[in-house]
Amino acid sequence: MGSGNFFKALLSSFFSGTDPEAAKKKALKTIAKNLSKTKYHFYKQASNEVEPGFAKFFYEMYKALSPAQLLIQSINRNAFKRMVLDNSLSEKQTELLALISEESIREAARQKPLKEAAAQTKANIDSFSAEFDSAKISQTDSLYTNLVRFANFVQFDFYFLLKKFDNGLKEHVFSKETRFVPINGSYILEDLKNFRDVAWALPLDTPLDDVFKLIKKVKGTDPLPSGVWKKILARIRYLKENRIIEMLIQLISENPSYKEDITAKDLYITDDFITEVKKQAEAVFNDLKEKQTAGKVESLLNQIFGTSEIDRLKFYNEAGSAPFERKELGRFEYCEPLSYLKKFILDYVKKDIKELSDILLVRGDWQNQQLAAPMSEAFHQLVETADKIIALDNSLNDTVDLGLKMKTHLPRTERDKESRNIIHSTINFVNDSAGKLILNSSRLFISYDRNLKMILEDCVKQHPVLIRNWKEIDHFAEEKLKTMCIDAYKTIFSFVSLMQNFPVELHEEES
């Protein structure tokens, strides 16, 4: 070797390792060499072309899979879950599922008390769920996973890929002779990646007998002959084990370091199915309960007020709550019961109950005034409650107090977390205040009614002992005092029953 060539080779050995382009070309050359050693000649590196042999390979696969592709396309993909789940149910579970259906639940609720129907449905759901042991859940989820993987692979768009090699190709028509030509690799780069995603997800060592059996059960025919499917799996296994698709992507993209691990995720549907069955049953019972409650409320309103159309409060109402609900900031929880409470106190307590209290508590000669104290205290606190309701309602006027604060912060809630927190906590405070008024009033009404009952039981005695001048005050009441007490007792009882249809849950501990 001459001295010039020697130094040139020496310099090349020093600097070639630091030349990224040279290293890339060398790596690509090695990949092309490895690809050429496989039994399939798919690629020509010199021209960056994918050969007709590649198209022929995929055409044969497309031809074999075509019947399965048409069969899978005829099945609604949304029905896959139901296919698998129905297939997994025992005869007993199928019967139980029918009993848990909305139609069956509503029919049961028509024939027996709602509480009894709910208990029976819960027992049916428990029996239904109990048959899904861990083994059955695993088997069901595995079948669904493999069905989806098979369907994804079969529905790969072979036609779209192959038409790039033969523009005259017709979809699902295999009688015409193909004329595949070489094409630039860049045209199918994304197709290769898509194929790799669906093909590598297949369980290559599992024959998918359970999937084929399910499809035949639903469609009445096998998607593919088992021998054909085994040959296809063998071809895919060869592609994967020899990294043929990966090498093609590396060469076409001129990225020798390209590598993307494909991890096929298992799919889980059984637990969600059981949860959904429970939720659907609960939704039906909630609807029935709401309608039952609405019927009770309407009946009690008519009984107490003579109408079910009760005016709402000025600001603590559904309309005032709507802007906050739209932005998911909370809602006014007790618009109905608080408006009923205000009306009952103003229309009944301050009139009928006041008249009765004046007779019993002011004119009555109690043997022990301490016995009258709870009744007197309950009446006066109830009267004060009306003022508290009005004050709470007025505080939500958007020109003052809480209403102004929420009005100010509402436009900022889209971008300001603190404003959201302020409104949320303010709504909680208002609801808690309303809830406490309702709870406390119910206790006061119960206390007042308990004393009325005690008076009624005493007044029928030959010699009443609680109120010693009963005859005198009865004469003052035009000899209708007993009737007044009975009417008041019944009306208060009805109102307490009305309030019990609106459960109160406080956001803070009661003091």
Side-chain angles (χ1 to χ4, degrees):
M1 181 184 293
S3 59
N5 290 334
F6 171 78
F7 283 110
K8 186 176 180 181
L10 183 63
L11 288 171
S12 176
S13 68
F14 276 121
F15 293 107
S16 63
T18 61
D19 184 353
E21 191 61 32
K24 185 174 88 169
K25 287 181 179 179
K26 184 177 180 181
L28 290 172
K29 188 175 181 180
T30 301
I31 293 169
K33 185 177 180 181
N34 290 335
L35 181 59
S36 68
K37 291 179 180 178
T38 67
K39 66 179 180 179
Y40 297 118
H41 301 289
F42 288 163
Y43 181 76
K44 183 184 291 184
Q45 187 185 16
S47 58
N48 190 26
E49 286 182 327
V50 180
E51 297 280 51
F54 172 91
K56 184 179 179 182
F57 177 91
F58 274 82
Y59 180 77
E60 290 172 358
M61 195 181 300
Y62 172 45
K63 185 176 180 180
L65 288 170
S66 182
Q69 193 174 78
L70 292 170
L71 190 66
I72 293 295
Q73 285 173 355
S74 69
I75 304 174
N76 186 335
R77 290 294 292 266
N78 294 328
F80 276 10
K81 287 182 182 179
R82 197 73 226 185
M83 282 170 53
V84 173
L85 291 167
D86 286 346
N87 183 71
S88 72
L89 298 180
S90 67
E91 186 176 339
K92 179 184 176 183
Q93 282 182 307
T94 302
E95 292 173 358
L96 287 168
L97 195 59
L99 293 174
I100 303 167
S101 69
E102 179 176 353
E103 183 180 353
S104 294
I105 290 174
R106 291 188 184 278
E107 180 60 31
R110 280 192 287 269
Q111 296 179 6
K112 61 185 72 174
L114 191 60
K115 190 174 182 180
E116 189 178 329
Q120 183 58 58
T121 299
K122 183 181 183 304
N124 289 336
I125 291 174
D126 290 343
S127 297
F128 175 82
S129 304
E131 286 206 27
F132 276 111
D133 57 20
S134 58
K136 187 168 186 175
I137 289 173
S138 177
Q139 183 182 15
T140 303
D141 290 341
S142 177
L143 176 56
Y144 178 69
T145 298
N146 287 335
L147 174 61
V148 170
R149 289 176 181 174
F150 175 73
N152 287 341
F153 172 72
V154 168
Q155 291 188 297
F156 173 75
D157 202 340
F158 290 94
Y159 172 69
F160 180 75
L161 167 68
L162 293 168
K163 195 170 175 63
K164 296 173 183 179
F165 292 88
D166 180 358
N167 193 45
L169 192 69
K170 301 296 181 183
E171 191 168 17
H172 297 297
V173 175
F174 304 101
S175 56
K176 184 181 176 182
E177 184 179 350
T178 57
R179 295 181 180 180
F180 297 129
V181 297
I183 62 170
N184 188 282
S186 61
Y187 295 156
I188 65 163
L189 184 59
E190 291 305 314
D191 299 296
L192 288 171
K193 293 178 180 179
N194 292 337
F195 176 79
R196 173 206 55 195
D197 291 344
V198 295
W200 286 192
L202 287 169
L204 299 180
D205 298 320
T206 305
L208 298 184
D209 291 343
D210 54 347
V211 171
F212 281 38
K213 185 178 178 181
L214 176 60
I215 293 174
K216 184 174 182 178
K217 181 179 178 181
V218 173
K219 300 301 293 185
T221 182
D222 284 314
L224 287 170
S226 60
V228 172
W229 178 241
K230 286 178 182 178
K231 288 180 181 179
I232 291 172
L233 284 180
R235 286 192 163 199
I236 294 171
R237 192 180 299 111
Y238 183 86
L239 293 178
K240 186 176 183 180
E241 290 174 353
N242 289 277
R243 300 175 59 252
I244 292 175
I245 300 298
E246 186 177 82
M247 287 191 288
L248 280 170
I249 294 172
Q250 290 171 332
L251 291 169
I252 291 168
S253 63
E254 297 184 350
N255 180 8
S257 62
Y258 173 86
K259 184 177 182 180
E260 189 173 337
D261 293 327
I262 304 301
T263 304
K265 293 182 179 179
D266 291 330
L267 303 175
Y268 303 97
I269 61 169
T270 312
D271 285 338
D272 287 345
F273 171 60
I274 297 170
T275 300
E276 187 61 28
V277 167
K278 292 178 180 178
K279 281 184 177 179
Q280 286 177 357
E282 287 172 3
V284 175
F285 277 109
N286 287 338
D287 180 59
L288 290 169
K289 188 175 179 180
E290 284 179 11
K291 289 178 179 177
Q292 188 180 75
T293 299
K296 288 180 181 178
V297 167
E298 185 174 8
S299 176
L300 287 167
L301 287 173
N302 284 312
Q303 182 181 327
I304 297 165
F305 299 109
T307 178
S308 60
E309 299 297 325
I310 308 300
D311 291 337
R312 296 291 192 259
L313 300 173
K314 288 183 180 179
F315 306 105
Y316 188 77
N317 55 40
E318 289 81 355
S321 177
F324 309 114
E325 292 182 54
R326 283 195 291 269
K327 294 194 175 187
E328 298 182 348
L329 298 167
R331 63 190 292 265
F332 295 158
E333 298 283 351
Y334 310 114
C335 301
E336 279 188 71
L338 198 63
S339 62
Y340 302 154
L341 178 59
K342 175 190 170 186
K343 182 172 178 61
F344 189 69
I345 293 173
L346 294 179
D347 289 5
Y348 190 74
V349 174
K350 282 192 171 186
K351 295 176 183 177
D352 297 63
I353 299 300
K354 181 180 186 304
E355 181 183 354
L356 181 61
S357 297
D358 285 345
I359 296 172
L360 295 175
L361 300 172
V362 178
R363 299 180 183 276
D365 179 16
W366 287 71
Q367 182 187 28
N368 186 340
Q369 282 298 322
Q370 287 185 341
L371 294 174
M375 193 173 186
S376 176
E377 184 65 22
F379 169 73
H380 287 101
Q381 285 192 36
L382 284 168
V383 171
E384 292 173 3
T385 297
D387 295 331
K388 292 178 181 179
I389 294 173
I390 293 170
L392 178 63
D393 187 34
N394 287 335
S395 72
L396 296 175
N397 187 329
D398 62 15
T399 62
V400 297
D401 202 9
L402 302 178
L404 179 60
K405 179 165 73 172
M406 290 197 289
K407 179 185 177 182
T408 302
H409 284 280
L410 186 61
R412 306 174 189 171
T413 55
E414 297 294 336
R415 61 186 185 281
D416 185 2
K417 185 178 179 180
E418 184 61 26
S419 289
R420 291 185 67 87
N421 291 338
I422 288 171
I423 290 183
H424 186 68
S425 62
T426 302
I427 291 174
N428 285 348
F429 168 77
V430 172
N431 284 330
D432 283 346
S433 300
K436 288 175 182 178
L437 288 172
I438 293 167
L439 289 174
N440 190 51
S441 297
S442 295
R443 294 191 191 107
L444 293 170
F445 280 123
I446 291 170
S447 175
Y448 194 94
D449 240 18
R450 188 180 296 122
N451 281 270
L452 271 180
K453 183 180 180 183
M454 188 170 58
I455 291 170
L456 284 166
E457 289 171 349
D458 185 65
C459 78
V460 296
K461 295 177 182 177
Q462 188 174 0
H463 301 290
V465 294
L466 286 178
I467 300 176
R468 289 175 294 201
N469 62 338
W470 179 267
K471 288 184 179 180
E472 179 186 331
I473 59 176
D474 186 31
H475 179 70
F476 181 81
E478 299 179 355
E479 299 180 352
K480 294 189 298 184
L481 185 55
K482 182 180 175 182
T483 302
M484 290 173 66
C485 289
I486 292 172
D487 289 344
Y489 179 85
K490 290 181 177 178
T491 303
I492 290 173
F493 182 85
S494 295
F495 186 76
V496 172
S497 299
L498 173 66
M499 290 293 99
Q500 288 174 344
N501 287 284
F502 303 95
V504 172
E505 294 182 9
L506 300 178
H507 298 90
E508 58 185 44
E509 293 293 327
E510 266 195 282
S511 57

